Amino acid sequence: MKNYHVKARLQWESFEFEGNEYPLTHLRAHEVIYKGEKDTYKFIVTYGLHCFAKDDQEHSIPLRYSDSRESRQINLERYHASKKLRSIIENLDTEGKVLYETDKEKCFNIEMMNSLNKKIEPYKICFHFFKENRVLRIHVTSAFFERRNKQISNKSYSLFKIAMDTKKRPRSKGIPKEACNS
Protein backbone atom coordinates (compact mmCIF):
# COMPACT_ATOMS: atom_id res chain seq x y z
CA MET A 1 0.00 0.00 0.00
CA LYS A 2 1.22 3.47 -0.84
CA ASN A 3 2.12 5.52 2.21
CA TYR A 4 0.38 8.90 2.22
CA HIS A 5 1.51 11.59 4.64
CA VAL A 6 -1.86 12.44 6.13
CA LYS A 7 -3.21 12.40 9.68
CA ALA A 8 -6.09 10.03 8.96
CA ARG A 9 -5.98 6.28 9.38
CA LEU A 10 -4.71 4.77 6.13
CA GLN A 11 -6.09 1.28 6.65
CA TRP A 12 -8.41 -0.60 8.95
CA GLU A 13 -7.61 -4.05 10.32
CA SER A 14 -10.03 -6.89 9.68
CA PHE A 15 -12.26 -8.17 12.48
CA GLU A 16 -13.67 -11.58 13.35
CA PHE A 17 -17.20 -12.38 14.47
CA GLU A 18 -18.82 -15.78 15.03
CA GLY A 19 -15.96 -17.57 13.29
CA ASN A 20 -16.05 -15.36 10.17
CA GLU A 21 -13.33 -12.90 9.20
CA TYR A 22 -14.44 -9.53 7.86
CA PRO A 23 -11.67 -7.75 5.93
CA LEU A 24 -11.63 -3.96 5.73
CA THR A 25 -9.10 -3.70 2.88
CA HIS A 26 -11.76 -1.96 0.76
CA LEU A 27 -11.45 1.05 3.11
CA ARG A 28 -7.71 1.60 2.58
CA ALA A 29 -6.59 5.11 1.64
CA HIS A 30 -6.32 5.64 -2.11
CA GLU A 31 -5.98 8.30 -4.77
CA VAL A 32 -8.79 9.39 -7.01
CA ILE A 33 -8.47 11.68 -10.03
CA TYR A 34 -11.34 13.74 -11.40
CA LYS A 35 -10.84 15.23 -14.87
CA GLY A 36 -12.84 18.36 -15.47
CA GLU A 37 -13.08 20.65 -18.49
CA LYS A 38 -10.65 23.20 -17.01
CA ASP A 39 -8.54 21.26 -14.53
CA THR A 40 -7.69 17.82 -13.16
CA TYR A 41 -8.00 17.22 -9.42
CA LYS A 42 -6.15 14.50 -7.52
CA PHE A 43 -7.46 13.68 -4.04
CA ILE A 44 -6.27 11.30 -1.35
CA VAL A 45 -9.36 9.52 0.04
CA THR A 46 -9.63 8.12 3.58
CA TYR A 47 -12.53 6.55 5.44
CA GLY A 48 -13.85 6.96 8.96
CA LEU A 49 -15.13 4.52 11.55
CA HIS A 50 -18.76 5.53 10.92
CA CYS A 51 -18.60 3.91 7.46
CA PHE A 52 -18.89 0.49 9.13
CA ALA A 53 -19.82 1.09 12.78
CA LYS A 54 -22.89 2.41 14.60
CA ASP A 55 -24.08 1.70 18.14
CA ASP A 56 -27.45 0.23 19.04
CA GLN A 57 -28.84 -0.33 15.55
CA GLU A 58 -30.67 -3.36 14.18
CA HIS A 59 -27.55 -4.77 12.50
CA SER A 60 -25.03 -3.75 15.17
CA ILE A 61 -23.12 -6.65 16.68
CA PRO A 62 -21.64 -6.98 20.18
CA LEU A 63 -18.14 -6.23 18.92
CA ARG A 64 -16.56 -2.81 19.30
CA TYR A 65 -14.02 -1.17 16.99
CA SER A 66 -12.00 1.90 17.92
CA ASP A 67 -10.09 4.67 16.25
CA SER A 68 -8.12 7.34 18.10
CA ARG A 69 -11.29 9.30 18.87
CA GLU A 70 -14.04 6.84 19.81
CA SER A 71 -15.25 3.24 20.06
CA ARG A 72 -18.41 1.94 18.34
CA GLN A 73 -20.21 -1.30 17.68
CA ILE A 74 -19.63 -2.78 14.26
CA ASN A 75 -22.75 -2.63 12.13
CA LEU A 76 -22.96 -5.41 9.53
CA GLU A 77 -25.35 -3.48 7.28
CA ARG A 78 -22.90 -0.56 7.11
CA TYR A 79 -19.97 -2.98 6.70
CA HIS A 80 -21.50 -4.71 3.65
CA ALA A 81 -22.54 -1.41 2.06
CA SER A 82 -19.05 0.04 2.64
CA LYS A 83 -17.65 -2.43 0.12
CA LYS A 84 -19.15 -0.25 -2.62
CA LEU A 85 -17.82 3.07 -1.31
CA ARG A 86 -14.57 3.15 -3.27
CA SER A 87 -16.37 2.64 -6.59
CA ILE A 88 -18.94 5.29 -5.67
CA ILE A 89 -16.19 7.81 -4.75
CA GLU A 90 -14.27 7.05 -7.95
CA ASN A 91 -17.39 7.84 -9.98
CA LEU A 92 -18.51 11.01 -8.21
CA ASP A 93 -17.67 13.03 -11.29
CA THR A 94 -20.37 11.25 -13.30
CA GLU A 95 -22.64 13.74 -14.97
CA GLY A 96 -25.73 14.72 -13.04
CA LYS A 97 -24.48 13.85 -9.56
CA VAL A 98 -24.57 16.71 -7.08
CA LEU A 99 -23.40 17.03 -3.52
CA TYR A 100 -25.39 18.95 -0.98
CA GLU A 101 -24.16 20.73 2.08
CA THR A 102 -25.15 20.35 5.71
CA ASP A 103 -23.86 22.49 8.56
CA LYS A 104 -20.59 20.57 8.79
CA GLU A 105 -20.01 18.54 5.65
CA LYS A 106 -20.96 17.68 2.10
CA CYS A 107 -23.28 14.73 1.50
CA PHE A 108 -24.50 12.71 -1.40
CA ASN A 109 -27.42 10.27 -1.76
CA ILE A 110 -27.74 7.43 -4.24
CA GLU A 111 -30.23 4.63 -4.59
CA MET A 112 -28.43 1.37 -3.83
CA MET A 113 -29.23 -2.29 -3.19
CA ASN A 114 -29.05 -3.17 0.50
CA SER A 115 -27.35 -6.58 0.47
CA LEU A 116 -29.02 -7.62 3.75
CA ASN A 117 -32.68 -7.00 2.90
CA LYS A 118 -32.32 -7.04 -0.92
CA LYS A 119 -34.21 -3.72 -1.27
CA ILE A 120 -33.18 -0.59 -3.14
CA GLU A 121 -32.77 2.18 -0.54
CA PRO A 122 -31.29 5.69 -0.33
CA TYR A 123 -27.63 5.45 0.72
CA LYS A 124 -26.17 8.62 2.22
CA ILE A 125 -22.43 9.32 2.06
CA CYS A 126 -20.95 12.24 4.01
CA PHE A 127 -17.55 13.79 3.26
CA HIS A 128 -15.14 16.50 4.22
CA PHE A 129 -13.17 18.12 1.40
CA PHE A 130 -10.03 19.92 2.56
CA LYS A 131 -6.36 20.55 1.95
CA GLU A 132 -3.69 18.86 4.07
CA ASN A 133 -0.01 19.68 3.47
CA ARG A 134 -0.81 20.95 -0.06
CA VAL A 135 -2.63 17.70 -0.84
CA LEU A 136 -6.32 17.70 -1.75
CA ARG A 137 -8.22 15.36 0.58
CA ILE A 138 -11.57 13.67 0.85
CA HIS A 139 -12.41 12.06 4.15
CA VAL A 140 -15.58 9.95 4.11
CA THR A 141 -16.96 10.49 7.60
CA SER A 142 -20.03 8.30 7.38
CA ALA A 143 -22.11 6.19 5.01
CA PHE A 144 -25.45 4.58 5.78
CA PHE A 145 -28.91 3.77 4.50
CA GLU A 146 -31.00 6.86 5.19
CA ARG A 147 -34.39 5.91 6.57
CA ARG A 148 -35.33 9.06 8.42
CA ASN A 149 -36.66 10.95 5.38
CA LYS A 150 -34.65 13.99 6.38
CA GLN A 151 -35.03 17.10 4.27
CA ILE A 152 -32.14 17.54 1.85
CA SER A 153 -30.61 21.00 1.68
CA ASN A 154 -31.46 23.06 -1.38
CA LYS A 155 -27.82 24.13 -1.56
CA SER A 156 -26.15 21.73 -4.00
CA TYR A 157 -22.78 21.76 -5.74
CA SER A 158 -21.00 19.91 -8.49
CA LEU A 159 -17.92 17.94 -7.53
CA PHE A 160 -15.80 20.26 -9.70
CA LYS A 161 -17.00 23.40 -7.92
CA ILE A 162 -16.05 21.82 -4.57
CA ALA A 163 -12.70 20.62 -5.96
CA MET A 164 -11.88 24.07 -7.35
CA ASP A 165 -12.78 25.78 -4.07
CA THR A 166 -10.75 23.24 -2.07
CA LYS A 167 -7.72 23.74 -4.31
CA LYS A 168 -7.91 27.53 -3.83
CA ARG A 169 -8.28 27.27 -0.05
CA PRO A 170 -5.23 28.22 2.03
CA ARG A 171 -3.43 25.36 3.80
CA SER A 172 -3.94 26.90 7.20
CA LYS A 173 -7.70 26.37 7.09
CA GLY A 174 -7.34 23.28 9.28
CA ILE A 175 -8.09 19.59 9.18
CA PRO A 176 -11.55 18.43 10.30
CA LYS A 177 -11.36 16.60 13.62
CA GLU A 178 -13.10 13.57 12.07
CA ALA A 179 -10.17 13.15 9.67
CA CYS A 180 -7.64 12.92 12.52
CA ASN A 181 -8.50 9.32 13.40
CA SER A 182 -5.18 7.50 13.08
Side-chain angles (χ1 to χ4, degrees):
M1 183 179 90
K2 191 169 182 179
N3 189 18
Y4 301 106
H5 298 285
V6 298
K7 291 186 178 181
R9 183 174 287 210
L10 299 179
Q11 65 183 13
W12 297 91
E13 299 301 321
S14 62
F15 63 92
E16 193 173 306
F17 180 66
E18 295 183 342
N20 296 313
E21 184 174 353
Y22 294 84
L24 290 165
T25 53
H26 58 280
L27 297 178
R28 283 186 178 150
H30 61 92
E31 294 178 3
V32 64
I33 297 173
Y34 300 116
K35 294 181 182 181
E37 292 177 13
K38 298 179 182 177
D39 208 346
T40 298
Y41 303 95
K42 180 170 117 179
F43 285 88
I44 305 301
V45 182
T46 55
Y47 300 90
L49 178 65
H50 295 214
C51 293
F52 63 93
K54 177 72 173 170
D55 287 342
D56 303 321
Q57 298 288 306
E58 178 183 358
H59 300 287
S60 297
I61 60 175
L63 181 63
R64 298 192 77 75
Y65 205 108
S66 301
D67 63 12
S68 63
R69 297 181 54 242
E70 65 182 320
S71 175
R72 293 180 138 223
Q73 287 177 301
I74 292 171
N75 181 286
L76 292 179
E77 181 180 64
R78 286 186 182 213
Y79 167 78
H80 288 292
S82 74
K83 293 176 184 178
K84 297 178 183 169
L85 277 173
R86 182 174 178 147
S87 175
I88 293 167
I89 302 299
E90 289 172 343
N91 291 293
L92 269 181
D93 58 344
T94 303
E95 193 171 320
K97 291 185 180 174
V98 294
L99 302 166
Y100 61 91
E101 189 170 35
T102 65
D103 292 340
K104 297 182 179 181
E105 56 202 353
K106 306 285 190 276
C107 295
F108 170 67
N109 279 2
I110 63 167
E111 295 292 316
M112 186 171 97
M113 172 72 74
N114 182 327
S115 63
L116 294 186
N117 67 17
K118 307 296 185 221
K119 293 180 181 175
I120 301 291
E121 296 185 72
Y123 187 59
K124 182 175 183 176
I125 305 165
C126 301
F127 320 84
H128 280 291
F129 290 82
F130 60 100
K131 198 184 278 188
E132 181 178 0
N133 302 324
R134 296 187 186 142
V135 174
L136 296 178
R137 295 269 286 106
I138 297 173
H139 182 74
V140 182
T141 57
S142 187
F144 55 94
F145 288 101
E146 176 63 89
R147 297 186 178 103
R148 299 173 294 177
N149 294 326
K150 283 183 83 175
Q151 183 70 27
I152 295 176
S153 167
N154 291 334
K155 199 171 189 178
S156 62
Y157 302 90
S158 77
L159 171 72
F160 294 106
K161 167 74 171 127
I162 295 167
M164 182 180 68
D165 291 349
T166 304
K167 189 173 184 178
K168 289 179 183 177
R169 193 176 299 148
R171 282 194 305 186
S172 60
K173 184 86 170 152
I175 300 169
K177 69 180 189 293
E178 294 86 357
C180 297
N181 64 353
S182 55

